[in-house]
Amino acid sequence: MKVAVQEGPFDAGAELDAFSHGRQQVGAIVSFTGIVRDRDGGLIRMEIEHYPGMTEQAIGEIAKAAQARWDLADLLVIHRYGALPVGQPIMMVATAAAHRRAAFEAAEYLMDYLKSRAPFWKKEVTQTGAHWVEATPEDEDALSRW
């Protein structure tokens, strides 16, 4: 299991190659990379803050819960902080399991919990100002299936 909270960029392709290298006992690897998106036009950047130590521990607990719930061979979580321009990767999740259902469900679980429960504070900086981003009702509803 690898959990990384980092300021610098990551190469999702290289991370996935390293994660999947030599895995002969798994039948499925699922990955997801989240990108800073400009939904309404005018977004300049996303600023993400966190408390070092606390954030890694919280994500580690989410990851351990996923491993306990699904029969995973391994998992990877990378999440960035700092000032991220539009189009940049913000986070990545990868899961490896013997069967695809476990890999898909565990990846979705991780994404849902990271979106709503990981201790990050996100601010959108636009051409007209800045505002803090809160979890949406849809984000909260996604957790209800777990």
Side-chain angles (χ1 to χ4, degrees):
M1 175 174 75
K2 175 184 172 185
V3 172
V5 178
Q6 63 190 53
E7 187 170 14
F10 61 89
D11 179 331
E15 291 289 346
L16 186 58
D17 284 347
F19 181 77
S20 62
H21 181 74
R23 296 200 185 268
Q24 298 177 351
Q25 302 301 316
V26 300
I29 293 177
V30 170
S31 70
F32 171 83
T33 303
I35 308 294
V36 177
R37 68 178 168 182
D38 186 4
R39 288 181 294 198
D40 302 319
L43 183 66
I44 297 169
R45 68 182 174 275
M46 173 84 68
E47 294 179 358
I48 302 174
E49 298 178 11
H50 77 109
Y51 287 115
M54 182 180 94
T55 304
E56 292 85 352
Q57 181 178 352
I59 294 173
E61 293 301 317
I62 294 166
K64 287 177 191 173
Q67 283 187 316
R69 186 168 183 164
W70 291 276
D71 186 18
L72 299 178
D74 203 359
L75 65 81
L76 164 71
V77 177
I78 302 171
H79 204 296
R80 293 180 63 195
Y81 65 90
L84 305 173
V86 173
Q88 286 289 305
I90 188 171
M91 59 83 70
M92 178 180 183
V93 166
T95 56
H99 302 285
R100 67 181 174 180
R101 178 170 286 166
F104 272 108
E105 288 180 358
E108 286 188 276
Y109 172 90
L110 288 165
M111 291 180 292
D112 288 343
Y113 271 84
L114 287 168
K115 178 90 173 167
S116 297
R117 295 295 184 264
F120 289 102
W121 294 268
K122 300 174 184 177
K123 185 190 321 180
E124 290 184 341
V125 178
T126 69
Q127 296 170 357
T128 59
H131 66 277
W132 292 101
V133 178
E134 296 186 26
T136 67
E138 292 83 13
D139 294 335
E140 293 299 319
D141 286 346
L143 296 178
S144 67
R145 65 186 171 143
W146 307 116

